[in-house]
Amino acid sequence: LEGGAQAEEIFGLNYSYLNEINDYKTVDQLSAWLAKICDRFILSIFRFGEAKHQDAVFKAMAYIQHNYMNKITLEDVAAKVFFSESYFSNIFKKETGISFNKYLNKVRIAASKQLLKEKDLSLADISESVGVHDQSHFSKMFKLITKVSPKKYRESL
């Protein structure tokens, strides 16, 4: 279920399989039956994964929105949606049109724009608050995304 299979389908399969277990008298019959069950469970998970990429991406985006101020890696977020890093990276870019890192940086810059309204916060404090621990890197990232430095952005407010 944590991997994404539908609860109704899994529990329905469980019930039907429990009714069948008494029909098997040998280890060979039971082994073949268990292999069939494993195949059905695996198929239900893979069908979910293909059908629910968008849901996984939305879940990842929500995770990023709530945790951008912390150290977030592609590996962390991929694990949250039960995909490998490379597979998640591909579907994220396919669904959003931008890479995971670009999206994370955009979220951080959007949050920093709000913090730049607070005149008493230093750029270093803002950088730390949005999860970028190097102010120089933060300034470069900010300018790359907004086409203006954080200082100029603050002055324009």
Side-chain angles (χ1 to χ4, degrees):
L1 293 174
E2 286 183 12
Q6 299 297 319
E8 299 81 19
E9 182 177 357
I10 294 299
F11 290 125
L13 292 174
N14 281 340
Y15 181 74
S16 69
Y17 291 138
L18 287 174
N19 288 334
E20 293 177 23
I21 198 166
N22 293 324
D23 296 342
Y24 302 103
K25 306 295 182 214
T26 68
V27 172
D28 288 340
Q29 289 175 327
L30 189 59
S31 295
W33 178 71
L34 288 172
K36 182 178 88 171
I37 291 172
C38 288
D39 287 342
R40 293 272 313 267
F41 279 100
I42 290 168
L43 281 174
S44 68
I45 291 170
F46 284 119
R47 280 195 314 265
F48 171 82
E50 291 171 8
K52 300 291 185 176
H53 288 161
Q54 197 172 44
D55 288 344
V57 170
F58 285 138
K59 183 177 179 182
M61 291 168 82
Y63 179 81
I64 292 166
Q65 291 283 339
H66 291 100
N67 294 284
Y68 65 85
M69 68 291 300
N70 302 316
K71 182 178 185 271
I72 297 178
T73 65
L74 176 66
E75 180 182 11
D76 296 334
V77 180
K80 293 284 182 198
V81 295
F82 304 99
F83 289 139
S84 70
E85 290 175 58
S86 60
Y87 187 69
F88 172 71
S89 180
N90 287 334
I91 66 161
F92 191 89
K93 183 157 187 165
K94 183 179 176 186
E95 294 289 331
T96 64
I98 61 173
S99 71
F100 166 80
N101 283 329
K102 282 186 180 179
Y103 180 78
L104 175 58
N105 290 341
K106 283 187 171 201
V107 169
R108 287 176 166 162
I109 296 306
S112 69
K113 284 180 175 180
Q114 294 301 311
L115 294 173
L116 283 166
K117 293 177 182 177
E118 302 295 325
K119 301 290 185 194
D120 57 327
L121 290 175
S122 71
L123 289 181
D125 290 340
I126 292 171
S127 175
E128 284 286 327
S129 296
V130 298
V132 182
H133 304 292
D134 179 348
Q135 183 186 338
S136 175
H137 178 68
F138 168 75
S139 293
K140 288 176 189 172
M141 183 172 62
F142 191 96
K143 188 168 185 176
L144 181 69
I145 291 173
T146 66
K147 309 294 186 234
V148 65
S149 71
K151 183 179 177 185
K152 294 253 189 229
Y153 181 84
R154 178 177 261 171
E155 290 169 357
S156 73
L157 295 174

